[in-house]
Amino acid sequence: MPRIVVSGVPTTASRHIAVLDGMRALAIIGVIGYHTRPSLLPGGFLGVTLFFVVSGFLLTRSMVNLFERLRFSYPHFLRGRVRRLWPSVLATIAGTAILVYCMAPSLLPKVRGDALPSALFYSNWSFIFRKLSYFQAAGLPSPLTHLWFTSLIMQFYVLWPLLFVLIFQLCRSRAARAAVIGALVLASSLEMLLLYTPGQDTSRIYYGLDTRAAELLVGAALAVLMHRHAGRQDDEFAHDPPHWQFYSRSVHVRGRELRVTGQQLVNALGFALLVVFCVCFAVVDPQSAWLYRGGYLLFALLAAAMIWAGMHSGVFMRAMGAKVCSYIGSRSFSLYLVHYPLLIVLNPATRATPLPWWGYLGQFALILAVGEVFFQLIEAMRGTPWLPWLTRAGDNAEPARETAGERLGCRLTASGNAGVRMLGTVGTRFATLTARLRPGAVVGIVAGALAVLVLMLPLNWQAIAHARAVQLRPELALTAEQARKQLAKPAPAPSPQPEQPKGTDSAQPKGADTAQPQVSALKVPNNLDPSRWQCDAAAQQCSVRMLMIGDSVTAGVAQTLQQHFPQAHIDGAVSRQFATGEDLLAQFLGSGEDPQVIVFALGTNGAATREQAEHVVQLAAGRPLYFVTALAPVEWTATSNATFQEVAAAHPNVGIIDWSALATAHPEYLYDDGTHPNELGTQAYEQQLYGALCPHS
């Protein structure tokens, strides 16, 4: 009998369930689209909900059949799930570690931190305890972040059979069992609602098994409700339809009589749900509060309704089981595992402009090719056909002959040496466990285990990553003096340009008062008076009393800035929000501090609103104020920068230092996270700030 695999979950069925192919294909396209570019498919993360519902459905459906036949064995069941997931996960860890070291070494410490949690299936809780956000992972997210899904799935595989056997024994009817599962669904959804706090990070809710269990349990409830009795598979509805499917009614539309049948209504429901998911992939905001207040449950119920509609014969079933859907769906787990590390490497955070449309298609083609290789070498079991619509004799038959590993284990077991016998026993059990795996999967297990062990060694991984990064980007090895010398070299210009001070990206705006000092910024405050402080152009020393408030970018350049602005008060902190900066500014000014210039460098960690920017202007109380434009590989920096320019245009004492434009034009100024300046960028940042405060000759 054919074996159906959804997200690495095997189950035995009498007939292939075609609708699941289309749902898995839809889910993986949404997830890849979201990870490729969140603005492309902002709701693509809902593909994970589809995977959850399908996985819960198939797992429970398989268990119900085994329970009724008294053939369920928990150890055997667990071995099967481990055999399905572990080789693929370990191979992903090994492949990612090699790929990252060769092409994106700055990510190596993050791979090291996530390798063991991913291999032991607790990475979702690791992310929760470390407060690592899924939706705000900018710059250098771990290329193993996506393995939170496999961790959560494995945790469900371990716990759900133990709980379900109690439900199965205590509740004798389908309705009672479904009611208990429904109560668990409501409990999980209620917990998600209670834990959600608007404006706070949602990692605890998004990654937690307890809060996401509702989506898995919706699929489980559907499996219980659709189960008929032992020996009758629920997909037999396609050939033994229920009585309601014979419903038929005549409807008059514009003088014409149309016949509406139950089958047509079911097909219409299926296609309507398909359209709903496609539209939601394109429009749903992952930060929407309603998702955590019943939204995920709603989408899980819609996914369950889609499965139900596709289990009945008709055009919807055939459409969802088309060859292209069957192919992508059968490879969905492999595509899920390989796509995220590839996208992280193919789309570095230092890229200033988005790829053209054909670039994204090329990346998707590469992911498809690598996913196919991964499927054939690692995920697929022995005897799996090359294409899902083909068949091969003995697809799921257990190997009839003893494998070479088992034969070797038996020989070692027969040895007189106790150590050799123990080695033979372990080898025999390993060979038995991996008997149905392809050789590539066994290699993946060994490679993954070795990769995890090596990454756990107490080595200076930061130094190893930096040394490799310097090989790829020599500018990362520059000292401060070397960086200043490189910045002093004249850059070739395609056409004659007005002379600009070093480290600046734009001159005085058109229409500015020519009597103003010739400092350079995108916009200069009209009351900026450099005659109030001393400037040494040769040493780039400035005695201005500057108050600068910023985030981790400011913190990274603070030491260099303090050397060139010795009278400045510079306050930068990691992950600082704009509202926190407002409070600090009010605190500093309220304590009697009287800066000659205020520099506000926030907006990287969250979008700045017009009201917040206006509040900063109000707090400045007429003092010269500069907003520094933000740069990070996230969508909201463009919004923040546009807000700064709007506020500056409305207030003469407000100026703009356009760090975003300068760093975008010079990606070599940034580390691989596309946000923080390296030594070359630090010196450029200082020169740009100096040019905005001191006149040039």
Side-chain angles (χ1 to χ4, degrees):
M1 294 190 297
R3 197 173 185 86
I4 302 169
V5 182
V6 174
S7 301
V9 187
T11 185
T12 304
S14 63
R15 188 172 291 104
H16 186 67
I17 306 177
V19 67
L20 301 183
D21 289 333
M23 293 184 65
R24 289 179 294 170
L26 178 65
I28 194 60
I29 290 172
V31 170
I32 293 177
Y34 175 78
H35 286 154
T36 300
R37 190 179 178 190
S39 61
L40 184 68
L41 282 181
F45 67 95
L46 293 172
V48 173
T49 297
L50 289 174
F51 279 132
F52 279 154
V53 175
V54 170
S55 297
F57 172 76
L58 285 175
L59 180 69
T60 307
R61 175 175 178 267
S62 175
M63 288 194 301
V64 169
N65 291 326
L66 291 173
F67 285 165
E68 287 197 342
R69 297 184 178 94
L70 302 178
R71 293 176 55 189
F72 181 79
S73 167
Y74 183 70
H76 179 75
F77 167 87
L78 211 54
R79 279 199 304 271
R81 271 55 190 174
V82 170
R83 184 165 51 199
R84 276 290 179 179
L85 288 182
W86 217 15
S88 297
V89 169
L90 289 175
T92 301
I93 295 171
T96 300
I98 296 171
L99 179 68
V100 161
Y101 178 79
C102 294
M103 301 186 66
S106 298
L107 292 165
L108 192 59
K110 295 195 174 185
V111 173
R112 178 178 185 260
D114 294 337
L116 185 63
S118 298
L120 298 182
F121 301 109
Y122 68 91
S123 64
N124 58 326
W125 294 105
S126 174
F127 294 148
I128 289 172
F129 297 142
R130 291 151 59 192
K131 298 182 179 179
L132 298 180
S133 174
Y134 179 77
F135 295 110
Q136 296 180 359
L140 287 178
S142 169
L144 297 179
T145 299
H146 66 312
L147 294 185
W148 74 271
F149 172 81
T150 57
S151 296
L152 190 148
I153 284 289
M154 179 55 78
Q155 293 159 24
F156 184 73
Y157 292 166
V158 172
L159 298 176
W160 178 234
L162 300 177
L163 182 58
F164 185 70
V165 69
L166 295 177
I167 298 174
F168 191 85
Q169 292 296 329
L170 297 176
C171 304
R172 294 300 179 181
S173 67
R174 287 187 302 168
R177 294 166 183 168
V180 173
I181 297 174
L184 295 175
V185 169
L186 292 177
S188 175
S189 300
L190 181 61
E191 182 186 11
M192 175 180 284
L193 187 151
L194 295 175
L195 290 178
Y196 176 74
T197 302
Q200 293 190 6
D201 183 59
T202 58
S203 299
R204 167 63 184 89
I205 307 172
Y206 190 81
Y207 289 131
L209 171 62
D210 50 345
T211 49
R212 301 304 298 270
E215 296 151 79
L216 289 152
L217 293 174
V218 165
L222 177 67
V224 169
L225 288 172
M226 294 196 71
H227 181 75
R228 303 180 79 174
H229 56 76
R232 294 287 301 276
Q233 298 295 333
D234 38 24
D235 58 339
E236 290 179 9
F237 281 125
H239 299 275
D240 185 13
H243 294 297
W244 65 262
Q245 197 164 345
F246 295 102
Y247 168 85
S248 178
R249 184 175 180 180
S250 296
V251 178
H252 296 276
V253 180
R254 294 184 179 181
R256 295 185 178 181
E257 183 179 358
L258 300 178
R259 179 69 63 179
V260 178
T261 65
Q263 187 179 48
Q264 291 173 339
L265 292 175
V266 171
N267 287 327
L269 173 64
F271 282 113
L273 293 172
L274 179 61
V275 171
V276 166
F277 271 99
C278 290
V279 172
C280 289
F281 279 4
V283 301
V284 170
D285 181 358
Q287 303 291 351
S288 298
W290 64 271
L291 285 171
Y292 303 95
R293 294 168 174 167
Y296 283 113
L297 175 59
L298 172 62
F299 284 114
L301 293 172
L302 295 178
M306 188 185 297
I307 295 176
W308 177 83
M311 295 284 283
H312 300 85
S313 61
V315 64
F316 179 67
M317 171 190 279
R318 293 192 295 273
M320 296 295 280
K323 284 189 175 182
V324 62
C325 295
S326 179
Y327 175 77
I328 297 177
S330 66
R331 272 64 174 166
S332 59
F333 186 51
S334 292
L335 292 172
Y336 182 86
L337 292 177
V338 305
H339 86 281
Y340 195 71
L342 287 175
L343 287 175
I344 293 295
V345 171
L346 293 173
N347 298 285
T350 51
R351 176 177 289 146
T353 56
L355 287 173
W357 63 270
W358 51 264
Y360 289 119
L361 288 181
Q363 289 187 0
F364 185 78
L366 177 62
I367 291 170
L368 201 62
V370 176
E372 175 64 24
V373 173
F374 190 94
F375 176 81
Q376 297 295 350
L377 295 180
I378 307 295
E379 184 192 355
M381 296 290 180
R382 292 180 184 268
T384 300
W386 290 100
L387 293 172
W389 50 84
L390 301 178
T391 57
R392 289 171 59 177
D395 281 351
N396 292 286
E398 294 292 337
R401 294 180 298 176
E402 190 179 45
T403 65
E406 289 173 318
R407 290 196 298 270
L408 177 60
C410 291
R411 292 175 183 175
L412 294 177
T413 305
S415 171
N417 186 285
V420 175
R421 286 201 306 272
M422 181 178 296
L423 180 63
T425 301
V426 173
T428 301
R429 292 181 178 178
F430 179 78
T432 302
L433 181 65
T434 60
R436 295 200 64 248
L437 301 180
R438 289 184 173 179
V442 179
V443 173
I445 293 174
V446 175
L450 289 176
V452 172
L453 291 175
V454 170
L455 289 170
M456 290 300 103
L457 293 177
L459 305 176
N460 189 343
W461 290 99
Q462 290 287 354
I464 293 172
H466 181 71
R468 174 58 184 165
V470 168
Q471 293 178 348
L472 300 178
R473 298 182 58 193
E475 69 269 17
L476 296 178
L478 294 177
T479 63
E481 182 178 355
Q482 291 171 333
R484 286 194 293 270
K485 288 181 179 179
Q486 183 162 326
L487 289 172
K489 297 177 182 179
S495 59
Q497 298 289 335
E499 184 179 354
Q500 300 288 333
K502 298 173 185 176
T504 61
D505 56 288
S506 73
Q508 188 85 353
K510 189 177 291 185
D513 186 355
T514 57
Q516 289 292 323
Q518 291 299 303
V519 297
S520 287
L522 184 63
K523 182 179 181 293
V524 178
N526 69 339
N527 58 346
L528 186 76
D529 185 6
S531 64
R532 299 172 60 195
W533 49 83
Q534 295 180 350
C535 297
D536 183 348
Q540 290 221 319
Q541 291 278 340
C542 180
S543 64
V544 63
R545 292 197 316 274
M546 174 179 65
L547 173 59
M548 184 174 185
I549 298 175
D551 48 29
S552 58
V553 175
T554 302
V557 301
Q559 184 176 358
T560 297
L561 294 183
Q562 203 70 66
Q563 294 173 359
H564 294 272
F565 301 91
Q567 303 300 319
H569 179 182
I570 302 171
D571 191 298
V574 175
S575 301
R576 177 173 286 166
Q577 299 292 321
F578 201 92
T580 306
E582 296 176 68
D583 296 337
L584 282 174
L585 179 59
Q587 176 184 334
F588 291 144
L589 296 178
S591 65
E593 192 164 344
D594 185 23
Q596 295 169 314
V597 179
I598 298 173
V599 178
F600 212 77
L602 288 169
T604 300
N605 299 304
T609 65
R610 179 67 182 264
E611 292 74 16
Q612 289 176 319
E614 290 284 359
H615 186 218
V616 172
V617 176
Q618 181 183 358
L619 291 172
R623 297 179 180 89
L625 168 66
Y626 272 121
F627 284 113
V628 181
T629 56
L631 178 65
V634 288
E635 300 293 331
W636 61 73
T637 54
T639 303
S640 297
N641 296 339
T643 298
F644 297 154
Q645 297 196 35
E646 291 174 3
V647 172
H651 298 277
N653 69 308
V654 179
I656 299 291
I657 298 175
D658 203 356
W659 165 248
S660 175
L662 177 62
T664 298
H666 296 278
E668 70 275 11
Y669 289 175
L670 303 173
Y671 283 112
D672 289 345
D673 62 3
T675 302
H676 298 92
N678 53 38
E679 190 58 55
L680 186 62
T682 297
Q683 298 302 321
Y685 194 103
E686 180 276 321
Q687 290 183 12
Q688 187 181 41
L689 184 58
Y690 181 90
L693 295 172
C694 292
H696 62 80
S697 57

